[in-house]
């Protein structure tokens, strides 16, 4: 921090009975009221203009009210001490208050040579503009004092100084800056500062100033999108409460005022508008954090839609906890509709024919999302207020091809059955019909066979598959891998059509479906079309025998 010392005399101001006076042999001839403070002073260049037209025939001290002086008592006292020649220290902390008060009192060269404003301008150009934190602090003070209405003689040069320093190569950063990231110490700094060294200090600025700076440095195209995203990340963490804080606020009796919510909404929407368009410029976890906050502060529909779109593009980078969005009406339940919208946004990019080089990456992305989504289902399955129809709808919204195995889906259904003991037999069957038994691992299958929560038909089918595995019959683990150019998007379309057809059947009269079996309408595991009739009969007898055993077991 830069400082400038003016004056040489010791401080002779003192306070007595809430009145500020100056030690002097000369009687005071002015009484100046500044808000709650009364000053007993002498006529001098400082306020000669203020009292030149005052009628003072009585010879009593002239009273003058300066309640509207910028900077209040502190700024006025700096100006008064300058006139008395008392030593004062100027810094970025008091510069704006001092220059505002000096302008108000017209302490210019026309009044006295070497007056206060000239000294302050010299300090601004030779010290503040050369410093990093000095420029940041002064810029923030100038903005809060008068915003864009302040003349550009100081605002614009201060902003230019900040931007020029941000654009300097990290190896040339030689000034002090704030950087409190976990695991970072100055001792680790070697040849250069970290690339995002400036983000923490800039996050102290008002939103409009911050947005102007980000817009300017983005226009230079010298920074990668991820660095801009990091600046937005730091700003959001400083100026927006965490989703947990919002949730605690909602659960408590106190509520945030409309002004505070409007302020948070304004910050959120500005940050979303500044996120670079390039994928990966911000993390998926950060996007979901903003999405949760957007639900609490009542962000605009366009802002939420943009966050859902961006979150969908990076859904494969999330964790199940990222997807847990508390309901704004009931913090104990979850906002499943927003998560469903994000998943739909993710799936949209697969409903098109892709270039060959994208196919493998897309399949890997889909598989990751499948694992994440099933982990999410396991968590929300314990929500006692979640209807079975909604749970099934959520589970079915993930395409079949996204689940290489069904262990996660089975665990989610098992949790749901335990937490919703009131389910009817038909609802249990409908729920368990989601699982493809052939996609269960041996461990999960063994657990499911011993699970008394599952319908009897499900146990029968699991025993079929287990016997086939032990007997070496094997069988397909599910749909074959999709790797050709356009099979992926074609499979997506087929999956959607099958889901619509299945829902159509459930809406009308239909015969009962099986428990679990690759989501097929057959009551048993279908044999191969080429299997001889004798083999089919043997399979049928085997199924009936296992069914009798299971019936006897349950009696």
């Amino acid at each position: 921090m830069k400082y400038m010392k003016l004056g040489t005399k010791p401080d002779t101001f003192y306070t007595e009975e809430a009145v500020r006076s100056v030690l002097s042999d000369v009687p005071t001839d002015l009484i100046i009221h500044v808000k709650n403070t009364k000053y007993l002073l002498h006529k001098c260049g400082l306020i000669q203009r203020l009292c030149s037209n005052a009628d003072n025939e009585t010879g009593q001290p002239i009273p003058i009210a300066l309640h509207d002086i910028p900077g209040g008592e502190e700024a006025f006292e700096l100006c008064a001490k300058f006139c008395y020649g008392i030593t004062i220290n100027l810094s970025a902390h008091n510069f704006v208050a001092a220059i505002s008060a000096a302008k108000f009192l017209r302490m210019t060269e026309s009044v006295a040579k070497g007056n206060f404003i000239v000294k302050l301008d010299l300090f601004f150009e030779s010290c503040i503009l050369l410093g990093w934190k000095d420029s940041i602090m002064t810029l923030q003070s100038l903005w809060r004092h008068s915003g864009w209405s302040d003349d550009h003689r100081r605002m614009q040069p201060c902003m230019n100084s900040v931007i020029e320093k941000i654009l300097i190569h990290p190896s040339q950063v030689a000034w002090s800056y704030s950087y409190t990231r976990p695991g970072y110490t100055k001792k680790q700094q070697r040849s250069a500062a970290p690339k995002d060294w400036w983000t923490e200090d800039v996050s102290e600025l008002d939103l409009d100033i911050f947005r102007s700076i980000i817009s300017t440095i983005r226009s230079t195209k010298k920074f990668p999108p991820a660095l801009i995203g990091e600046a937005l990340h730091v700003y959001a963490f400083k100026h927006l409460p965490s989703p947990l804080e919002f949730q605690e606020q909602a659960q408590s009796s106190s509520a945030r005022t409309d002004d505070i919510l409007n302020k948070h909404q304004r910050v959120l929407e500005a940050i979303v508008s500044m996120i670079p368009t390039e994928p990966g410029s911000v993390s998926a976890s950060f996007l979901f954090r903003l999405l949760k906050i957007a639900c609490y502060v009542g962000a605009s529909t366009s802002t939420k839609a943009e966050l859902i779109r961006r979150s969908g593009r990076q859904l494969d980078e999330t964790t199940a906890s990222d997807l847990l969005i508390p309901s704004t009406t009931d913090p104990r339940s979850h906002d499943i509709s927003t998560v469903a919208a994000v998943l739909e946004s993710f799936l949209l990019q697969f409903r098109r024919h892709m270039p060959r080089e994208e196919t493998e990456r897309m399949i890997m992305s889909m598989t990751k999302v499948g694992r994440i989504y099933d982990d999410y289902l396991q968590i929300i399955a314990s929500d006692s207020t979640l209807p079975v129809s909604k749970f099934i709808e959520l589970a079915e919204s993930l395409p079949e091809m996204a689940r290489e195995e069904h262990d996660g889906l089975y665990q989610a259904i098992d949790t749901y059955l335990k937490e919703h003991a009131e389910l009817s037999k038909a609802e249990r069957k409908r729920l368990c019909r989601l699982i493809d038994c052939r996609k269960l691992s041996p461990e999960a299958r063994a657990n499911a066979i011993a699970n008394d929560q599952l319908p009897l038909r499900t146990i029968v089918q699991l025993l079929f598959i287990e016997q086939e595995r032990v007997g070496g019959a094997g069988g397909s683990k599910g749909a074959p891998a999709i790797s050709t150019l356009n099979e992926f998007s074609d499979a997506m379309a087929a999956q959607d059509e099958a889901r619509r057809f299945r829902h159509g059947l459930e809406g009308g009269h239909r015969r009962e479906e099986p428990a679990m079996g690759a989501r097929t309408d057959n009551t048993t595991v279908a044999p191969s079309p080429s299997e001889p009739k004798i083999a089919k009969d043997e399979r049928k007898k085997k199924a009936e025998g296992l069914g009798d055993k299971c019936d006897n077991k349950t009696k």
Side-chain angles (χ1 to χ4, degrees), residues 507-543:
H509 297 287
R510 54 175 294 185
R511 59 187 176 84
E512 186 175 328
E513 293 190 39
M516 298 186 287
R519 302 189 187 180
T520 175
D521 289 334
N522 298 325
T523 55
T524 60
V525 179
S528 169
S530 60
E531 189 175 5
K533 183 177 185 304
I534 296 176
K536 294 180 181 179
D537 294 337
E538 288 295 327
R539 183 183 292 273
K540 183 176 181 181
K541 289 179 182 179
K542 187 185 294 184

Side-chain angles (χ1 to χ4, degrees), residues 65 86 89 135 317 330 391:
I86 295 173
N89 289 313
S135 298
E317 303 170 14
D330 183 5
F391 183 82

Side-chain angles (χ1 to χ4, degrees), residues 446-519:
N447 180 279
I449 290 173
N451 191 341
D452 58 3
Q453 297 286 335
L454 302 183
L456 180 59
R457 287 177 179 270
T458 301
I459 304 296
V460 171
Q461 191 164 10
L462 288 165
L463 288 170
F464 260 126
I465 295 172
E466 183 64 18
Q467 186 175 18
E468 281 187 347
R469 185 184 70 84
V470 174
S476 171
K477 290 188 65 177
I482 300 172
S483 58
T484 59
L485 180 61
N486 294 318
E487 283 180 354
F488 201 78
S489 56
D490 291 342
M492 284 291 297
Q495 179 76 21
D496 291 342
E497 183 63 28
R499 189 182 302 136
R500 286 192 295 269
F501 177 72
R502 182 165 59 254
H503 287 172
L505 288 177
E506 289 177 353
H509 297 287
R510 54 175 294 185
R511 59 187 176 84
E512 186 175 328
E513 293 190 39
M516 298 186 287
R519 302 189 187 180

Side-chain angles (χ1 to χ4, degrees), residues 6 82 107-119:
L6 297 177
F82 173 81
M107 300 176 69
T108 64
E109 293 294 280
S110 61
V111 175
K113 191 172 180 61
N115 214 335
F116 202 21
I117 291 180
V118 172
K119 301 291 186 182

Side-chain angles (χ1 to χ4, degrees), residues 30-39 41 46-47 49-51 63-73 75-77 79-80 101 104-105:
L30 286 174
I31 301 176
I32 300 181
H33 299 269
V34 181
K35 296 186 178 179
N36 297 322
T37 305
K38 181 190 293 185
Y39 290 89
L41 303 176
L46 165 67
I47 42 150
R49 177 188 59 81
L50 298 175
C51 58
I64 299 175
L66 297 177
H67 299 304
D68 55 347
I69 185 171
E73 298 96 330
F76 173 78
E77 196 160 316
C79 296
F104 179 85
L105 296 171

Side-chain angles (χ1 to χ4, degrees), residues 207-241:
L207 179 62
D208 291 311
I209 294 290
F210 174 78
R211 180 160 43 190
S212 179
I213 289 175
I214 293 297
S215 176
T216 302
I217 63 177
R218 282 186 64 182
S219 66
T220 65
K221 299 182 179 180
K222 290 185 177 182
F223 287 163
L227 188 51
I228 302 297
E230 177 63 17
L232 300 177
H233 180 273
V234 173
Y235 196 89
F237 270 75
K238 183 174 290 291
H239 295 275
L240 290 174

